[in-house]
Amino acid sequence: MSSLLESIEKEAKRRSYAAMIRCLPSYQGQVEEALDEFHHGSHSFYRANDEYAPHWQGESRGAYELVYWDLRQIETRIYATADDLLHEISREIAQIRRKIEERQ
């Protein structure tokens, strides 16, 4: 009886892990999609910057430069955070796969 119970528990955990593995790549895809959308938005900003900003002078130029450099710093942090998050998701998927293999 206990071996049947252990077998059922093992199968339940294996299925639970399999469900997690199905969800994590979806989450990974959502992160990549958000990153892509951010990239398109910042690319549009930089394109507009190249067209219009070189002609600005004085106070407006100075204020604009602050916004420009803030965006650059935010962009760097977003890409670093996204890389960390994607790495952690991949690591979690690998860890769950190992757990599934141990349960078989």
Side-chain angles (χ1 to χ4, degrees):
M1 184 70 163
S2 68
S3 67
L4 176 61
L5 185 56
E6 286 175 13
S7 178
I8 291 170
E9 286 176 352
K10 257 185 174 180
E11 181 61 20
K13 283 186 179 184
R14 190 189 69 72
R15 287 181 187 219
S16 173
Y17 291 143
M20 286 184 217
I21 283 183
R22 285 191 300 274
C23 292
L24 286 171
S26 173
Y27 183 48
Q28 205 169 22
Q30 291 172 359
V31 171
E32 289 168 349
E33 186 178 314
L35 201 54
D36 191 46
E37 287 180 29
F38 177 78
H39 176 74
H40 287 302
S42 62
H43 181 71
S44 295
F45 175 82
Y46 294 129
R47 201 170 47 237
N49 175 67
D50 292 343
E51 268 186 62
Y52 302 110
H55 309 292
W56 294 355
Q57 296 177 3
E59 212 174 295
S60 60
R61 177 66 182 203
Y64 179 79
E65 288 294 326
L66 292 175
V67 171
Y68 178 87
W69 290 112
D70 282 348
L71 179 60
R72 283 290 206 193
Q73 290 175 350
I74 291 167
E75 184 178 35
T76 300
R77 287 195 309 254
I78 285 173
Y79 285 125
T81 301
D83 284 345
D84 290 346
L85 184 54
L86 292 171
H87 173 76
E88 285 300 313
I89 293 169
S90 294
R91 191 181 67 73
E92 186 69 20
I93 290 170
Q95 187 176 26
I96 292 170
R97 283 193 176 129
R98 281 192 300 277
K99 287 180 180 181
I100 289 173
E101 289 171 7
E102 291 171 2
R103 302 249 183 266
Q104 291 183 352

